[in-house]
């Protein structure tokens, strides 16, 4: 049947946010709006506007902070226009957006939103901070949106953990002796209505990504392409070293060449190819780290060429292999085991 009415609201976002059980999120600001409803239940028409002023948002898990949030929405029939959406990162970084959403549940709410970012620090964690700029486009429907565009990353700081977290093994569980009414066909496990974000993003950095920890102090540049649904993302491109050092076997190596390459595998499995150098009194020692990150290989070479144990003896003790003490020989054996991954 036909509907007609109006809704006027004035509220604090803190009150509305308190109704949503997400402890890691904080929201504040003032919300005002006036909407007039007409049409029918099956095909409603909405006119009016909604405004948010002096808003702020915090994501405590990621360290995301947005300040000075301003949002102006205008409804005209079945179209909700984003006239203005802007915020700062609490500093000089800025984010803005504009676009529209069609208020049609039968079509899963079609939308198109342009997003612009400038020097926006969106991650502030103990192990990582990151600043981004660029332009993105969010389009499609609310249930199956797509995100495309280009991002310039950096400056960014990433700290490697002292130990990698233990891997989690997913076990497939099969329940036997189920009542017949509980048995479902396998195809029912996949719900085609679930949310899916399709991505096509280009991520570049001229060399302001700093990675440190576990003996590494380094700066990298990036040229990456990310394509696919968010849960099966394919990454191609590489991270390339700009400069840096790596402490290995109590010696400091200078990074000469280095790349972390992505070849599009799902899930991503980057391949590392890094060369670092250190000098002794009469020897140039090269440390080569190659292979997929799940199975890295480390080897030592020298100029002039020498056997690996001889190179290590000179690197560690500045002595020939025949001149080291028994205690140094034990330390050398431990170093050899570390080189082969058995230490």
């Amino acid at each position: 049947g036909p509907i007609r009415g109006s809704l006027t609201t004035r509220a604090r976002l803190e009150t509305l946010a308190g109704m949503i059980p997400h402890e890691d999120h904080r929201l504040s600001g003032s919300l005002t709006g006036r909407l007039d409803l007409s049409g029918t239940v099956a095909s409603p028409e909405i006119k009016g506007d909604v405004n948010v002023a002096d808003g702020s948002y915090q994501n405590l898990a990621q360290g995301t902070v947005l300040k000075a949030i301003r949002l102006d929405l205008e409804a005209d029939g079945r179209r909700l226009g984003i006239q203005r959406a802007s915020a700062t990162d609490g500093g000089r970084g800025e984010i803005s957006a504009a676009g529209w959403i069609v208020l049609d549940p039968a079509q899963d709410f079609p939308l198109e939103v342009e997003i612009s970012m400038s020097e926006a620090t969106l991650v502030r964690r103990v192990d990582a901070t990151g600043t981004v700029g660029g332009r993105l486009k969010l389009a499609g429907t609310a249930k199956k949106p797509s995100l495309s565009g280009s991002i310039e990353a950096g400056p960014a700081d990433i700290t490697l953990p002292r130990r990698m977290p233990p891997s989690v093994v997913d076990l497939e569980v099969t329940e036997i002796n189920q009542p017949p009414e509980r048995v479902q066909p396998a195809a029912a496990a996949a719900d085609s209505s679930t949310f899916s974000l399709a991505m096509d993003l280009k991520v570049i950095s001229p060399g302001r990504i700093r990675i440190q920890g576990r003996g590494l102090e380094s700066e990298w540049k990036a040229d990456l392409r990310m394509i696919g649904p968010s849960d099966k993302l394919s990454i191609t491109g590489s991270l390339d070293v700009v400069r840096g050092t790596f402490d290995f076997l109590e010696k400091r190596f200078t990074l000469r060449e280095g790349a972390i390459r992505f070849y599009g595998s799902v899930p991503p499995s980057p391949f590392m190819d890094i060369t670092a150098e250190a000098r002794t009194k009469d020897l140039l020692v090269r440390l080569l780290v190659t292979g997929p990150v799940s199975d890295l290989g480390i080897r030592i070479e020298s100029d002039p060429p020498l056997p690996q144990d001889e190179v290590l003896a000179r690197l560690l003790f500045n002595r020939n292999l025949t001149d080291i003490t028994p205690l140094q020989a034990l330390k050398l054996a431990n170093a050899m085991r570390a080189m082969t991954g058995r230490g």
Side-chain angles (χ1 to χ4, degrees):
I3 57 173
R4 184 170 297 277
S6 62
L7 172 65
T8 301
T9 181
R10 184 181 298 272
R12 296 294 302 176
L13 293 178
E14 299 92 316
T15 304
L16 300 176
M19 302 168 63
I20 303 175
H22 289 289
E23 297 181 357
D24 289 339
H25 303 270
R26 299 286 187 271
L27 188 64
S28 66
S30 62
L31 171 70
T32 59
R34 177 179 174 84
L35 298 173
D36 296 319
L37 283 71
S38 61
T40 65
V41 174
S43 181
E45 298 284 330
I46 303 175
K47 289 185 176 292
D49 55 69
V50 176
N51 308 98
V52 172
D54 300 321
S56 69
Y57 167 77
Q58 294 183 59
N59 183 317
L60 302 181
Q62 299 299 325
T64 303
V65 176
L66 299 179
K67 298 285 189 181
I69 296 175
R70 173 74 181 273
L71 178 61
D72 298 326
L73 305 177
E74 183 177 335
D76 185 9
R78 306 184 74 179
R79 183 184 177 99
L80 181 64
I82 305 172
Q83 305 302 315
R84 175 180 176 180
S86 61
T88 73
D89 64 356
R92 63 181 183 180
E94 297 180 343
I95 303 172
S96 62
W100 49 264
I101 303 173
V102 177
L103 304 175
D104 186 352
Q107 298 185 53
D108 294 331
F109 301 97
L111 58 87
E112 185 173 304
V113 181
E114 300 275 354
I115 303 167
S116 178
M117 302 175 293
S118 174
E119 297 182 272
T121 302
L122 300 181
V123 177
R124 295 182 179 90
R125 294 163 49 106
V126 173
D127 58 350
T129 63
T131 300
V132 296
R135 299 184 68 86
L136 302 175
K137 182 177 181 179
L138 185 66
T141 67
K143 186 179 292 183
K144 293 186 177 180
S146 65
L147 184 65
S148 60
S150 180
I151 296 174
E152 182 171 320
D157 287 276
I158 301 170
T159 300
L160 302 176
R162 290 183 178 273
R163 284 185 173 87
M164 298 303 289
S167 59
V168 178
V169 178
D170 292 327
L171 299 179
E172 183 176 347
V173 178
T174 302
E175 186 175 348
I176 62 174
N177 298 327
Q178 294 187 67
E181 63 272 14
R182 289 185 57 193
V183 177
Q184 298 179 355
D191 184 1
S192 61
S193 66
T194 56
F195 175 84
S196 176
L197 177 63
M199 302 176 68
D200 186 352
L201 299 176
K202 185 174 179 62
V203 180
I204 59 174
S205 174
R208 296 183 295 169
I209 301 175
R210 185 181 175 209
I211 303 176
Q212 59 186 337
R214 301 176 75 180
L216 181 66
E217 289 282 344
S218 59
E219 184 182 350
W220 300 73
K221 59 184 179 179
D223 188 351
L224 302 171
R225 181 88 177 271
M226 302 181 180
I227 302 177
S230 53
D231 58 340
K232 295 181 180 178
L233 196 61
S234 170
I235 303 177
T236 57
S238 67
L239 291 164
D240 296 280
V241 71
V242 176
R243 62 181 65 87
T245 59
F246 179 51
D247 294 335
F248 185 71
L249 299 178
E250 301 179 5
K251 296 294 180 180
R252 173 152 292 186
F253 287 77
T254 299
L255 298 180
R256 296 302 183 194
E257 298 177 353
I260 303 175
R261 297 187 177 91
F262 296 81
Y263 293 105
S265 61
V266 178
S269 179
F271 187 94
M272 297 185 68
D273 188 359
I274 296 173
T275 301
E277 293 181 349
R279 284 191 175 273
T280 67
K281 181 172 58 177
D282 55 359
L283 202 63
L284 174 63
V285 180
R286 294 188 185 91
L287 175 69
L288 298 100
V289 182
T290 58
V293 292
S294 57
D295 187 23
L296 282 178
I298 301 176
R299 72 180 191 274
I300 287 278
E301 294 180 352
S302 69
D303 187 11
L306 291 173
Q308 187 165 261
D309 52 358
E310 179 71 32
V311 175
L312 287 175
R314 296 195 188 189
L315 180 67
L316 294 173
F317 316 117
N318 203 26
R319 292 184 179 185
N320 293 330
L321 184 61
T322 55
D323 297 332
I324 63 175
T325 68
L327 183 60
Q328 290 172 336
L330 179 61
K331 187 174 182 180
L332 176 61
N334 288 332
M336 290 291 289
R337 283 196 295 271
M339 289 286 298
T340 57
R342 294 190 295 269

